Amino acid sequence: MKTIHIASPEAIPAAAQEFLALMGDETVYTFTGEMGAGKTTFISALCAALGVDPEEANSPSFAIANEYRSETTAELIYHFDLYRLESLEEVMDIGFEDYLDSGALCLIEWPEKVADILPDDTVRVNIRVNDDNSRDLIIE
């Protein structure tokens, strides 16, 4: 387990770079945390660190999934926000397992809804809000 401390919003890009340096060959990363913890904000910063145009990396809350392409590596990145989904069946209807099996990087918010079908090597990240309003990324 590894923890990355984010003292302020200004520290998010540096935290994204630190996280990027820790990433291995795994392709599925889940992000949990209370509403407003900064899941989308951190994923957007991570996508920017991966070479995605920062204007493109935003919340897929209404679309469920956004597809980005790194401008530096041409790598595909999928960003899922499953908050609005009601059931695993809805997730299956969008072909979610195909995304997981694609070999592309999958960044998933609200993964509780798909916990039963996530790969064994999924990297789980919890974003904890501290009393001083800083954040800790706890990476399993």
Side-chain angles (χ1 to χ4, degrees):
M1 185 164 23
K2 171 79 173 153
T3 300
I4 298 173
H5 183 71
I6 304 173
S8 67
E10 295 76 27
I12 294 171
Q17 288 293 337
E18 185 177 348
F19 186 90
L20 184 59
L22 296 173
M23 292 174 75
D25 293 333
E26 300 85 7
T27 58
V28 179
Y29 291 78
T30 63
F31 295 83
T32 59
E34 64 189 64
M35 183 72 76
K39 295 177 293 294
T40 300
T41 301
F42 182 75
I43 290 173
S44 295
L46 180 59
C47 287
L50 287 162
V52 174
D53 180 346
E55 296 292 316
E56 289 183 32
N58 53 36
S59 176
S61 293
F62 296 102
I64 299 170
N66 282 350
E67 178 181 308
Y68 314 124
R69 188 170 295 276
S70 169
E71 294 177 353
T72 55
T73 65
E75 180 179 355
L76 271 177
I77 301 165
Y78 296 111
H79 177 190
F80 299 91
D81 184 333
L82 305 179
Y83 180 75
R84 297 193 190 306
L85 294 182
E86 302 278 328
S87 68
L88 185 58
E89 186 175 298
E90 280 184 89
V91 174
M92 301 307 278
D93 287 346
I94 67 165
F96 187 73
E97 285 184 304
D98 293 333
Y99 288 105
L100 296 178
D101 294 337
S102 70
L105 185 60
C106 295
L107 308 172
I108 306 166
E109 297 182 51
W110 303 101
E112 305 80 27
K113 304 197 178 190
V114 295
D116 292 343
I117 62 171
L118 292 172
D120 291 339
D121 65 345
T122 297
V123 177
R124 289 165 173 78
V125 180
N126 183 45
I127 301 178
R128 180 178 62 210
V129 179
N130 300 312
D131 290 341
D132 64 358
N133 214 26
S134 67
R135 307 294 197 264
D136 286 322
L137 298 179
I138 302 159
I139 306 157
E140 295 180 34

